[in-house]
Amino acid sequence: MNTLTPCKMGLALSLTIAISYSVCMLLVLLFPVPAMAFLNALFHGLDFSHLGAFQSFTWTMFLLPLGVLSVWGFLVGALFEWLKNCLQSPANRHRLH
């Protein structure tokens, strides 16, 4: 079985989150009304429209969460791969069955 290093898995998850977040932000900017309808549906009908209109786009509003989510993704991915590698080590395989 191919294994990744924790850093490679962290980077893969971080990039996946960054790309997904960027696409989501673009869709919200291009289609704010359907985006709000989707958000309401995603949360089982909770009405987010009472929170007010979308704020004007700023780069800070985009880059700050992008950075936080990317770092979080890297840490979670690295931890996941490290734990997976530990559990798959020959010394631990007999414990998994």
Side-chain angles (χ1 to χ4, degrees), residues 10 13-15 17-18 21 59-77:
L13 183 57
S14 178
L15 290 172
I17 289 171
Y21 179 79
W59 283 105
T60 302
M61 184 177 79
F62 171 70
L63 293 174
L64 183 61
L66 179 67
V68 169
L69 290 172
S70 295
V71 169
W72 176 82
F74 177 83
L75 295 173
V76 169

Side-chain angles (χ1 to χ4, degrees), residues 32-49:
V33 174
M36 183 63 76
F38 176 74
L39 184 64
N40 292 341
L42 186 64
F43 285 91
H44 309 289
L46 189 63
D47 188 3
F48 286 92
S49 64

